[in-house]
Amino acid sequence: MGIAVSSAQVGTPGRLGPEELVNIYRLMYLSRRIDDREILLKRQQKIFFQVSGAGHEALQVGAALALRPGYDWFFPYYRDRGLCLAVGVTPLEMILQAVGAETDTASGGRQMPTHWSSRKLNIVSTSSSTTTQLLHAVGCAEAGRYFSRHPEAAQKAEGDYRAYRDVTFHGDEVVLACVGEGSTSQGEFWEALNTASNQKLPVIFMVEDNGYAISVPVEVNTPGGNISRLVANFPNFHFAEIDGTDAEASLRAFQAAADHCRAGFGPAFVHGHCIRPYSHSLSDDDKLYRSAAEREADAMRDPLTRMQMRLLREGILSAEQINSLEKSLDREASEAADQALKAPLPSVANVTRHVYSEDLDPTSPNFATEEPKAEGEAGKSGPGKSALPRTMADLINVCLRDEMRRDPRIIIYGEDVADASREHALNEVKGKGGVFKLTAGLQTEFGSERVFNSPLAEANIVGRAVGYALRGMKPVVEIQFFDYIWPAMHQIRNELSLMRWRSNGAWAAPAVVRVPIGGYLTGGAIYHSQSGESTFTHIPGLRVVFPSNALDANGLLRTAIRCDDPVLFLEHKRLYRETYGRAVYPGQDFAIPFGKARVVRPGADITLVTYGAVVPRALQAAQTAHREHGIDVEILDLRTLSPYDWQAIAESVRKTSRVIVAHEDQLSWGYGAEIAARIADELFEDLDAPVKRVGALDTFVAYAPVLEDAILPQPATILKAIQDLKAY
Ligand SMILES: Cc1ncc(C[n+]2csc(CCOP(=O)(O)OP(=O)(O)O)c2C)c(N)n1
Ligand SMILES: [Mg+2]
């Protein structure tokens, strides 16, 4: 349950004592000296990047001392050296990051310096992407609240991801989320405030306002130049706008903010005005865009000088004592640098470690259920007693229900996924349960804490899922249409999929993102028919699943939920309720491992590699080819696109020597390009003809059915490819 600390690092109200003031100065000064030491190392080309916390130290140290390391949670940004130092990251650990050492505890040499991470201290891995961390902080706070209300969910369990996801919670922890004033322009800032406010979450948003975002002054980013004025009407917040160069004012502001959060009143917003004496980073020179007068005015507000003067003025330290304290801290910084420079460099052999879970492999036979259970047996325990074959939509819904019954860590949210957000309505109405009804009845069975509507904001959905998942929860979220996944792309590419690799295995975000995808809808048009799976298979760290029938959807979704990697689960809308591919309920433990293709139709003449809604179309084409032209096509349904079953492809191509890769997505730069290239590379000797591809025209999907038919590959298109290839 984490390190039990009963109070903040500096707890007592009233005036700070001499020791506390000296300690604050020590932390602020040491933070600055580590920056100075790194700047020296950068000039000597011994490190490769430097960004400093200079000018922010008072605000940061104040925040840290109001909170509890290893108990509260920290989502810092790249400027938070003073914060992390005061929370407990050591100077050596900091400079190990700068030199990119193997022993860099934050990332093992994978991230730039000041991209923090410490499991011990509850500092979650920082990315360079500004603002994304705020939504993680929101999800993290939600998870803490969930565990405190459902402590049984924190139990360890064998046989799925929970064996590797330790849970700690206390019930009154606070989450600190830090951001620069320029980054408050990002939509995700507002999306984070939205949920924190609405759900009264214990998140302290700390805005470190140094007046610039690289060279862009605050009034360009923030209408009126003051973010506090803009956010003032968010309900449930505690607000404070302070002089962030005054350490005591900062500490007090954060103590009040933490009190508000711990009492359950809601989030807090602490806006500190600080300075930026060292330009944006060592790659920037603010003399290019700031007047001398402005820079001088900033320098007059240096928090270090301010604190030093106070110690002298109040007789807490003499000039000699300050001198000697500073000398010892200088020595500490330089010794840390000397030691870090001797550290071993990371081993090149390990570069792909932690792209995916090292502990739980979703391709392993552990996830293979040989056969679905007999219906009679499954029907007794599983939801729905019908022995009739059921649709893909049905068996996805059933899988979600089964898994939620089994695992209290699973929560579901997204746009319209609840039955009714206004619960009292459920006394008289049936409920919505998703625009495609895939989540129907789940809120009614599991309650509004486990199944709920999100705001209409896709980054919010995925960003919060990252926060939930890194606390050990299993969010299974829905993006309503693939066409609208793009606002979440930043979170998917830069956060969800990267969390494990960039933290060298310390953190991970094994969430499931379910997404209805694809066309063939007759009238779906441009914005309800998109494909685009190869954009996501190109992302390391993400599993991409694309079932073509009800049974596969059920078994693969179960694996997606039980595994320990983030999964993009693509559900073809056209297949949801098709007659093709229906199946009887396979039982509550039916699972299919990732990376195992299915032979839909064995054949001797041509291999046809495909997936999704092209599977039934390919089958139709293959049947015609056989009946009318005597061509025997073997169809492989890949089922999962990342990983994919290379072995099955290779075996089949060695047998047939002719291969087509067919998909619904556009031809150029599509998923087939990669498979075709690999076949050409590794199976060249086995081929009797060039590798052929079938895909949509390189355009968008139109509304008029006559246009849609021409744009998307049809059975006739596939048949023609089969005939052409056989004739080659
Ligand atoms: C999403 C994103 N866009 C752009 C950048 C490049 N960038 C890095 S820092 C920065 C300015 C941030 O300014 P602010 O939020 O005020 O923080 P400060 O650096 O001043 O502390 C920019 C544009 C980035 N890292 N992430
Ligand atoms: Mg700034």
Side-chain angles (χ1 to χ4, degrees):
M1 300 269 276
I3 304 164
V5 182
S6 60
S7 68
Q9 296 192 62
V10 175
T12 45
R15 282 184 69 76
L16 291 174
E19 272 178 33
E20 288 167 325
L21 288 168
V22 172
N23 184 41
I24 289 172
Y25 184 64
R26 189 183 66 76
L27 289 163
M28 289 169 58
Y29 182 87
L30 185 56
S31 177
R32 184 76 61 93
R33 280 298 158 267
I34 298 170
D35 274 326
D36 291 337
R37 181 54 56 170
E38 281 191 1
I39 289 166
L40 194 67
L41 294 175
K42 172 75 172 71
R43 298 219 157 98
Q44 296 168 342
Q45 299 185 351
K46 290 177 177 162
I47 66 169
F48 320 101
F49 184 76
Q50 212 282 331
V51 61
S52 87
H56 292 223
E57 295 94 342
L59 185 65
Q60 295 175 357
V61 170
L65 296 184
L67 299 172
R68 303 176 288 190
Y71 186 106
D72 295 320
W73 286 74
F74 300 87
F75 290 80
Y77 80 121
Y78 52 77
R79 217 175 272 298
D80 284 328
R81 187 186 300 287
L83 174 84
C84 289
L85 192 66
V87 167
V89 180
T90 67
L92 175 61
E93 285 169 335
M94 291 186 176
I95 306 181
L96 285 171
Q97 280 187 279
V99 301
E102 181 171 26
T103 44
D104 153 28
T105 50
S107 82
R110 292 174 173 193
Q111 289 233 73
M112 286 174 154
T114 66
H115 287 52
W116 316 102
S117 174
S118 167
R119 272 206 81 95
K120 186 179 64 175
L121 300 168
N122 285 353
I123 300 175
V124 175
S125 169
T126 315
S127 80
S128 298
S129 310
T130 63
T131 323
T132 48
Q133 71 278 12
L134 303 191
L135 285 164
H136 308 168
V138 166
C140 171
E142 291 178 276
R145 174 179 292 175
Y146 183 87
F147 282 124
S148 67
R149 290 182 183 167
H150 303 270
E152 75 288 353
Q155 303 279 311
K156 226 171 166 115
E158 292 305 313
D160 63 36
Y161 72 96
R162 285 173 294 176
Y164 310 98
R165 306 267 105 215
D166 288 337
V167 169
T168 63
F169 69 97
H170 305 282
D172 69 341
E173 59 262 46
V174 165
V175 180
L176 179 70
C178 313
V179 72
E181 90 295 334
S183 303
T184 64
S185 288
Q186 293 278 356
E188 292 181 30
F189 168 79
W190 300 94
E191 292 182 22
L193 262 60
N194 175 339
T195 301
S197 166
N198 241 344
Q199 305 211 17
K200 294 190 171 184
L201 294 170
V203 181
I204 303 177
F205 294 90
M206 148 150 126
V207 176
E208 305 185 31
D209 187 345
N210 56 23
Y212 276 87
I214 309 186
S215 69
V216 181
V218 61
E219 68 277 12
V220 176
N221 267 300
T222 307
N226 185 313
I227 191 64
S228 281
R229 280 208 290 274
L230 300 190
V231 300
N233 283 331
F234 271 99
N236 304 321
F237 263 91
H238 165 89
F239 291 104
E241 183 178 359
I242 56 169
D243 178 352
T245 65
D246 179 338
E248 183 165 7
S250 299
L251 173 65
R252 295 308 182 205
F254 283 101
Q255 284 176 329
D259 287 347
H260 175 85
C261 291
R262 286 194 215 288
F265 296 144
F269 190 93
V270 181
H271 176 193
H273 293 275
C274 41
I275 61 163
R276 199 193 66 178
Y278 286 4
S279 296
H280 173 72
S281 72
L282 223 56
S283 315
D284 174 50
D285 178 3
D286 69 355
K287 293 191 198 71
L288 295 173
Y289 52 84
R290 293 182 82 175
S291 70
E294 190 181 304
R295 285 187 292 108
E296 278 155 26
D298 241 23
M300 299 298 289
R301 295 179 55 227
D302 192 311
L304 251 63
T305 320
R306 195 170 170 171
M307 194 66 186
Q308 193 191 61
M309 298 310 284
R310 179 170 175 189
L311 295 176
L312 282 169
R313 198 175 55 243
E314 295 183 11
I316 295 167
L317 291 181
S318 66
E320 293 71 38
Q321 285 170 316
I322 287 181
N323 211 350
S324 123
L325 173 67
E326 290 179 351
K327 273 215 173 91
S328 85
L329 295 170
D330 290 346
R331 222 172 17 250
E332 197 176 332
S334 90
E335 282 170 8
D338 292 346
Q339 209 179 328
L341 287 170
K342 289 187 216 133
L345 295 180
S347 160
V348 178
N350 290 334
V351 284
T352 57
R353 273 195 83 198
H354 303 303
V355 172
Y356 298 103
S357 167
E358 302 285 313
D359 304 310
L360 191 57
D361 177 5
T363 69
S364 92
N366 293 342
F367 284 99
T369 312
E370 288 296 313
E371 292 293 331
K373 278 188 191 168
E375 171 60 19
E377 193 188 341
K380 274 183 238 151
S381 52
K385 307 266 190 290
S386 165
L388 290 175
R390 297 164 77 170
T391 63
M392 181 195 269
D394 241 7
L395 287 194
I396 289 173
N397 176 273
V398 164
C399 177
L400 293 170
R401 198 182 289 266
D402 277 346
E403 290 301 291
M404 288 192 84
R405 285 180 186 170
R406 192 185 62 86
D407 177 0
R409 292 194 197 177
I410 298 173
I411 49 145
I412 289 181
Y413 63 90
E415 295 157 16
D416 299 288
V417 302
D419 292 324
S421 286
R422 295 179 181 167
E423 291 173 11
H424 58 82
L426 288 171
N427 296 328
E428 53 186 276
V429 298
K430 186 159 170 255
K432 178 79 176 164
V435 293
F436 295 102
K437 303 251 171 292
L438 274 275
T439 50
L442 299 182
Q443 181 203 354
T444 305
E445 176 166 348
F446 299 103
S448 303
E449 286 193 342
R450 294 189 67 193
V451 182
F452 50 89
N453 287 324
S454 70
L456 205 173
E458 287 74 14
N460 174 294
I461 295 171
V462 176
R464 286 161 68 195
V466 171
Y468 266 115
L470 56 84
R471 287 290 294 267
M473 296 275 295
K474 177 62 74 170
V476 181
V477 301
E478 180 177 299
I479 297 290
Q480 196 163 76
F481 291 90
F482 182 86
D483 312 74
Y484 310 122
I485 198 169
W486 310 115
M489 190 61 181
H490 194 188
Q491 285 287 349
I492 294 172
R493 174 65 178 83
N494 281 346
E495 306 295 336
L496 182 81
S497 311
L498 246 166
M499 186 62 84
R500 191 189 295 273
W501 188 84
R502 78 173 186 227
S503 64
N504 208 13
W507 300 101
V512 179
V513 183
R514 292 183 36 252
V515 195
I517 188 171
Y520 299 113
L521 302 178
T522 314
I526 306 163
Y527 298 105
H528 298 85
S529 304
Q530 287 175 31
S531 297
E533 55 275 13
S534 62
T535 307
F536 294 88
T537 52
H538 196 57
I539 300 175
L542 185 67
R543 309 286 191 181
V544 181
V545 180
F546 202 154
S548 73
N549 60 73
L551 192 65
D552 287 354
N554 184 281
L556 290 166
L557 182 57
R558 187 162 282 107
T559 304
I561 290 171
R562 295 186 185 186
C563 88
D564 202 22
D565 292 318
V567 181
L568 187 72
F569 194 85
L570 301 173
E571 303 169 1
H572 203 289
K573 302 184 281 277
R574 178 60 202 259
L575 299 176
Y576 271 152
R577 294 184 167 81
E578 290 248 302
T579 314
Y580 169 82
R582 293 189 182 191
V584 293
Y585 172 65
Q588 53 201 345
D589 279 317
F590 177 66
I592 298 172
F594 291 172
K596 300 282 177 288
R598 187 173 67 95
V599 180
V600 180
R601 181 190 193 283
D605 297 333
I606 288 177
T607 300
L608 201 159
V609 180
T610 190
Y611 52 88
V614 178
V615 172
R617 285 159 183 77
L619 193 55
Q620 214 179 315
Q623 282 159 353
T624 313
H626 193 237
R627 200 173 51 240
E628 295 179 9
H629 308 283
I631 309 171
D632 192 16
V633 179
E634 174 150 301
I635 299 177
L636 288 186
D637 177 358
L638 288 179
R639 310 200 285 188
T640 66
L641 307 185
S642 178
Y644 65 93
D645 193 344
W646 173 246
Q647 207 184 330
I649 295 171
E651 266 170 31
S652 181
V653 171
R654 285 196 188 105
K655 184 174 72 176
T656 62
S657 302
R658 283 180 160 76
V659 58
I660 300 170
V661 189
H663 50 63
E664 175 184 337
D665 198 7
Q666 295 136 46
L667 189 74
S668 302
W669 297 280
Y671 186 76
E674 172 64 25
I675 304 296
R678 187 161 176 201
I679 293 169
D681 182 8
E682 296 185 30
L683 302 173
F684 185 68
E685 302 286 319
D686 298 293
L687 291 173
D688 286 343
V691 184
K692 210 160 182 57
R693 285 183 294 152
V694 172
L697 302 183
D698 289 333
T699 182
F700 307 94
V701 181
Y703 172 70
V706 62
L707 299 180
E708 181 183 39
D709 285 354
I711 290 163
L712 296 181
Q714 306 297 332
T717 334
I718 303 168
L719 179 61
K720 179 160 187 324
I722 291 170
Q723 288 176 278
D724 289 352
L725 191 61
K726 183 65 180 146
Y728 187 87

